[in-house]
Amino acid sequence: MHATQFAPYNSLVKPKPASALLPLWCHTASPLPKHRCIRADELVDPGWRADTIVIGAGVTGLSTALHLAERGARVAVLERNQPGEGTTGSANGQVIAGLQQGPDALVAAYGHERGERLVEFAGNAPALLFDLVARYGIACDVERAGWVQAARSSRGVKSLEKLAESWSRRGAPVRMLDRVSVMRLLGTAAYAGGWLDERNGTIQPLSYARGLAAAAARAGVEIRTGVDVGDVERDRDGQWRIATNLGEVRAPTVVVATNVYTSRLTGLAKTFLGRTYVSAYSVQLASEPLDEALRQCVLPQRHSCGDTGHLRLRYFRLDRDGRFVIGGPGWLTPPRSASATSFRVLEAGARRMFPQLARTRFEYRWAAHDTVTPDLLPHLYEPAPGLFSALGFTGRGLAIGTALGSVLARRVLGESPASLPYPTTPASSLPLNLPAAAKYYLRAGLAKLRREK
């Protein structure tokens, strides 16, 4: 399509100071309900004995705690900030089935029986999330309109055809879309084709995390905020000792659900887990609410979308108020201000893709901090007896992170790794050569530097 003319950046948007780069979701989330088990003034009462301590109150940590409590375990969650205010609360809010690797690739990597169990588990991850939302009455703006993955080139469409076919063989409600169908569903002529997965949808991610926290608290989980965890070590008696800014806590089992913030820990947790991933940032924008005319031609049926663009990767959706929310590649460090190049490039790309948005103001800008593993897959780790972790979500943490919380709970309670639907892998350091994920962001950064010259 032809390049679209639009007004200069500064004529449409007054950049906010860096301190105001909060995600849209912080402004629209349901408030965290008050509950006696969610408090910031003290650690867990020394007289109350926890079976498991969970470090981190994102979706994985909260899901783990809730599933443990449902089965009668005494659980405490330690969180540095507030529930959901890390990676979870800066996500785009798309709930997506599967992983970054397709079903056939997973079967090839893990074998037929193990691979198919993994594919089924990952494919059902959105259903588990939506079930938790319904079961606990979590108000998080759930929409299940489906998700489109689109490609700009005919070669990209052929790759998506193979992916859609592999899911279709397994009974998933998916179908291919030609150029015209994609344009009708999305409102942009930027793509040559794509596929639709009806299992997927969107949520308000911070509201979801707060709702999980409230559900866990009602189930008896003790959630402590304002807790800065440092050392994680095992005592001679087999108990895990966790040193924090407010004192020490102990438990026979610990779940490290800190994802990208795992490197801040010390002791065994960092030794085994701190070099298993690359830390990277994506950037996101949210517009003012679109008027009715624009809502008829930008995602008119409220599908969410992600594409296959590598360095030009885009993912976008509408929120409950009709804001257009789009994300794309960032860099290994966060943007320093609202006028950073990464934001400007993303906004320009959004307007080229959607000429309808030429005069629309983008009101919110933020960076999302996440982990990327060399194989682009999340991993379950058990680096020492009684120490468990899941990290490396590569942009798909809402659905699979929630689902892996249920698996972690089963493992903590004694189920064998062989009986679980997701494999446990050794917690080994990254290879000395730069992994694929880091190369991806390095290329993106070099391209950004070239644009700045």
Side-chain angles (χ1 to χ4, degrees):
M1 59 185 296
H2 296 294
T4 303
Q5 297 297 317
F6 52 87
Y9 175 91
N10 288 332
S11 70
L12 290 175
V13 179
K14 294 181 179 179
K16 300 178 181 180
S19 60
L21 296 180
L22 291 175
L24 163 68
W25 318 121
C26 294
H27 301 273
T28 64
S30 304
L32 180 66
K34 292 183 179 179
H35 194 282
R36 61 179 178 80
C37 290
I38 305 176
R39 35 191 313 183
D41 56 345
E42 62 181 23
L43 276 183
V44 177
D45 184 340
W48 185 83
R49 306 301 299 173
D51 299 313
T52 301
I53 292 175
V54 177
I55 306 173
V59 292
T60 304
L62 292 170
S63 174
T64 302
L66 177 57
H67 283 94
L68 283 169
E70 286 179 335
R71 298 176 66 172
R74 295 169 297 179
V75 186
V77 176
L78 309 181
E79 168 57 42
R80 183 178 188 179
N81 298 306
Q82 293 291 320
E85 288 189 4
T87 301
T88 296
S90 59
N92 191 257
Q94 298 190 24
V95 180
I96 302 173
L99 302 168
Q100 294 287 3
Q101 303 283 3
D104 292 344
L106 293 174
V107 171
Y110 290 98
H112 178 76
E113 180 179 356
R114 187 78 174 184
E116 290 294 350
R117 288 174 62 200
L118 173 55
V119 170
E120 181 181 12
F121 171 77
N124 289 333
L128 186 148
L129 184 154
F130 293 134
D131 175 70
L132 282 179
V133 168
R135 187 147 44 99
Y136 288 99
I138 299 174
C140 59
D141 305 333
V142 167
E143 292 192 69
R144 303 182 71 172
W147 174 73
V148 174
Q149 188 174 29
R152 293 179 172 86
S153 68
S154 57
R155 177 182 295 182
V157 172
K158 289 186 179 298
S159 296
L160 292 182
E161 286 176 349
K162 295 179 181 179
L163 181 58
E165 192 276 332
S166 69
W167 278 116
S168 182
R169 273 189 280 115
R170 294 168 171 85
V174 304
R175 59 186 172 90
M176 284 301 298
L177 303 169
D178 60 18
R179 181 185 294 273
V180 173
S181 298
V182 169
M183 184 166 58
R184 176 174 53 83
L185 291 182
L186 302 183
T188 175
Y191 298 114
W195 66 298
L196 171 65
D197 190 335
E198 296 179 355
R199 296 171 292 183
N200 304 337
T202 59
I203 57 174
Q204 213 282 18
L206 184 54
S207 291
Y208 172 58
R210 289 176 174 178
L212 277 182
R218 292 195 299 270
V221 175
E222 297 279 343
I223 300 175
R224 294 295 181 265
T225 61
V227 180
D228 194 354
V229 173
D231 194 37
V232 179
E233 292 287 357
R234 196 175 189 191
D235 285 343
R236 294 178 181 178
D237 61 1
Q239 292 278 310
W240 285 94
R241 178 185 59 82
I242 301 174
T244 81
N245 59 317
L246 298 179
E248 289 188 356
V249 287
R250 297 169 185 266
T253 55
V254 172
V255 175
V256 178
T258 46
N259 198 35
V260 75
Y261 302 105
T262 302
S263 60
R264 292 179 178 175
L265 304 177
T266 60
L268 284 176
K270 182 173 183 177
T271 300
F272 286 103
L273 302 172
R275 284 184 48 81
T276 59
Y277 62 87
V278 173
S279 169
Y281 291 84
S282 60
V283 292
Q284 298 193 56
L285 305 171
S287 75
E288 62 188 338
L290 305 184
D291 61 30
E292 188 59 34
L294 282 176
R295 293 192 198 194
Q296 294 301 314
C297 60
V298 176
L299 302 175
Q301 298 181 44
R302 299 187 67 86
H303 293 88
S304 55
C305 179
D307 64 28
T308 59
H310 299 293
L311 294 182
R312 294 190 298 160
L313 173 70
R314 302 285 185 266
Y315 45 93
F316 44 90
R317 55 164 295 190
L318 297 177
D319 81 337
R320 70 181 182 204
D321 300 315
R323 293 181 179 88
F324 181 75
V325 187
I326 184 170
W331 182 225
L332 299 176
T333 56
R336 295 181 178 180
S337 72
S339 60
T341 298
S342 52
F343 288 130
R344 295 169 67 93
V345 169
L346 180 59
E347 181 175 345
R351 297 189 196 281
R352 282 194 297 270
M353 291 172 61
F354 292 90
Q356 311 94 304
L357 301 178
R359 305 301 305 179
T360 299
R361 185 186 301 274
F362 282 90
E363 295 183 329
Y364 299 93
R365 293 163 175 71
W366 70 95
H369 198 188
D370 202 1
T371 48
V372 185
T373 58
D375 58 6
L376 303 182
L377 296 176
H379 289 268
L380 287 182
Y381 297 119
E382 193 172 335
L387 182 64
F388 309 90
S389 184
L391 55 81
F393 299 111
T394 318
R396 292 199 177 187
L398 291 178
I400 196 64
T402 297
L404 286 178
S406 69
V407 175
L408 282 168
R410 291 166 60 181
R411 178 67 187 125
V412 168
L413 292 174
E415 289 195 39
S416 69
S419 70
L420 300 176
Y422 204 94
T424 299
T425 53
S428 58
S429 295
L430 293 173
L432 292 177
N433 60 308
L434 202 63
K439 289 179 180 178
Y440 170 90
Y441 278 92
L442 179 61
R443 290 196 301 268
L446 291 175
K448 184 177 78 169
L449 290 175
R450 285 195 294 270
R451 287 191 296 266
E452 291 176 334
K453 291 182 177 180

